[in-house]
Amino acid sequence: MIADDQSVHVAPRAAMNANDIMKAKKTMAKMKSGAEQEEGDASASRLIDARIAELSDWRGETLARMRSLIKEADPDVVEEWKWAKPVWSHNGLICTGETYKAAVKTTFAKGAFLEDPSGLFNSSLEGNTRRAIDFRQGEKIDEAAFKALIRAAVALNTSGKKA
């Protein structure tokens, strides 16, 4: 029961349909033409280029090397810019590239479901889904193992299995 001195806020009808509006926007985005998607990919690639150049230290070099290895492992990878960071996808999110003062982190969206025989995952190990690799200054990247993880992530995304 509401007291006489309390007000009640009723949301306007448009606000009540915000989920429907968001669904429509997502559907429209999926219907973009191939040219628009390529333009979006190019824009994301430019943002990643800019991020690498902006760092201008070992972190930029490491992020550039990770990016190169991802493209070698999956020539059909899609570069995106989400959450203010580089993102690589193929039928779903593969990984992100995050930069911190002491590390460059590659977070695999479904890393907990990937075999990691070389033990590259060294961060975010407690989660049920994600796993990450922190690369620190001066560390050597096991390129073959990293590319194997990328290929495994793509295989999981394209398998249709729910992780």
Side-chain angles (χ1 to χ4, degrees):
M1 183 167 201
I2 299 171
D4 291 337
D5 61 342
Q6 291 180 323
S7 63
V8 177
H9 175 73
V10 178
R13 178 105 174 111
M16 294 164 79
N17 290 321
N19 286 337
D20 292 333
I21 293 168
M22 289 304 294
K23 286 179 186 176
K25 285 182 178 180
K26 287 181 181 179
T27 301
M28 289 171 59
K30 287 180 182 178
M31 296 171 59
K32 279 184 174 180
S33 72
E36 289 172 323
Q37 181 62 43
E38 287 176 18
E39 183 179 308
D41 294 349
S43 175
S45 292
R46 285 192 297 272
L47 287 168
I48 296 169
D49 290 340
R51 179 67 179 143
I52 290 168
E54 170 186 70
L55 291 166
S56 70
D57 61 8
W58 70 270
R59 296 172 304 159
E61 292 171 10
T62 302
L63 184 59
R65 186 64 193 138
M66 289 170 24
R67 179 190 199 188
S68 177
L69 293 171
I70 290 166
K71 288 179 171 185
E72 288 173 24
D74 180 18
D76 296 325
V77 72
V78 175
E79 291 193 317
E80 300 174 279
W81 187 264
K82 295 181 180 181
W83 314 295
K85 64 186 78 166
V87 175
W88 291 275
S89 299
H90 184 143
N91 281 27
L93 183 65
I94 297 171
C95 63
T96 63
E98 306 150 57
T99 54
Y100 300 97
K101 185 176 181 178
V104 175
K105 180 185 290 279
T106 304
T107 302
F108 284 75
K110 300 174 186 173
F113 303 97
L114 302 176
E115 295 293 324
D116 181 22
S118 297
L120 290 183
F121 290 131
N122 61 11
S123 182
S124 304
L125 301 175
E126 64 286 342
N128 293 331
T129 307
R130 285 183 233 121
R131 293 287 183 272
I133 305 168
D134 286 351
F135 297 101
R136 296 187 187 342
Q137 186 173 11
E139 289 182 344
K140 177 133 173 69
I141 298 172
D142 184 339
E143 295 181 357
F146 184 75
K147 291 193 315 188
L149 279 176
I150 296 295
R151 289 186 194 108
V154 171
L156 179 59
N157 284 353
T158 58
S159 72
K161 293 179 185 175
K162 296 285 184 186

